[in-house]
């Protein structure tokens, strides 16, 4: 009935992590998609920690690069399907990483 959603391909992803993610929190909707084999949130977190920010603009990329050295918030966005976009956000202290659908109103 359902096919596993395909995540967008990495733009550039080094092999080693660039920062720690701390605890990983999945939103209820992301957990449901994962439980039903429709999404692999850990794959997206792995891309995130390697600096593959996914589908974000140049200013967001610069902000992430600055945040790596200045302890700011790190943000990635991955377009899975035309109607499904997942965001991955790591707090400035690298204590928590939240994986949620872009339209969910959950914050770190």
């Amino acid at each position: 009935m359902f096919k596993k959603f395909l995540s967008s391909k990495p733009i550039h992803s080094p092999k080693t992590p660039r920062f720690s993610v701390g605890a990983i929190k999945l939103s209820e909707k992301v957990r449901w998609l994962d439980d039903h084999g429709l999404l692999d949130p850990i794959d997206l977190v792995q891309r995130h920690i390697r600096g593959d920010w996914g589908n974000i603009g140049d200013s967001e990329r610069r902000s992430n690069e600055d945040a790596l050295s200045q302890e700011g918030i790190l943000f990635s966005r991955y377009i899975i399907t035309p109607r499904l976009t997942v965001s991955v956000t790591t707090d400035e202290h690298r204590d928590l990483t939240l994986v949620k659908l872009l339209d969910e109103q959950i914050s770190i």
Side-chain angles (χ1 to χ4, degrees), residues 34-93:
D34 183 33
D35 288 347
H36 289 83
L38 301 172
L39 180 72
D40 183 358
I42 299 306
D43 178 55
L44 299 178
V45 170
Q46 289 174 341
R47 288 176 59 186
H48 175 73
I49 64 173
R50 289 181 175 94
D52 171 5
W53 313 122
N55 307 95
I56 62 173
D58 289 338
S59 65
E60 290 170 311
R61 287 182 195 286
R62 283 191 299 276
S63 177
N64 279 348
E65 293 301 323
D66 291 343
L68 286 170
S69 62
Q70 301 171 11
E71 292 189 355
I73 294 173
L74 296 157
F75 175 76
S76 297
R77 178 178 31 228
Y78 305 100
I79 298 172
I80 309 303
T81 71
R83 294 179 53 192
L84 181 66
T85 300
V86 176
S87 72
V88 180
T89 307
T90 301
D91 73 342
E92 63 273 5
H93 302 294

Side-chain angles (χ1 to χ4, degrees), residues 10-53:
I11 294 172
H12 174 272
S13 183
K15 294 183 184 208
T16 58
R18 297 180 70 188
F19 59 94
S20 173
V21 295
I24 298 172
K25 178 180 177 182
L26 305 179
S27 73
E28 188 175 316
K29 290 179 181 180
V30 167
R31 186 174 305 282
W32 186 92
L33 290 167
D34 183 33
D35 288 347
H36 289 83
L38 301 172
L39 180 72
D40 183 358
I42 299 306
D43 178 55
L44 299 178
V45 170
Q46 289 174 341
R47 288 176 59 186
H48 175 73
I49 64 173
R50 289 181 175 94
D52 171 5
W53 313 122

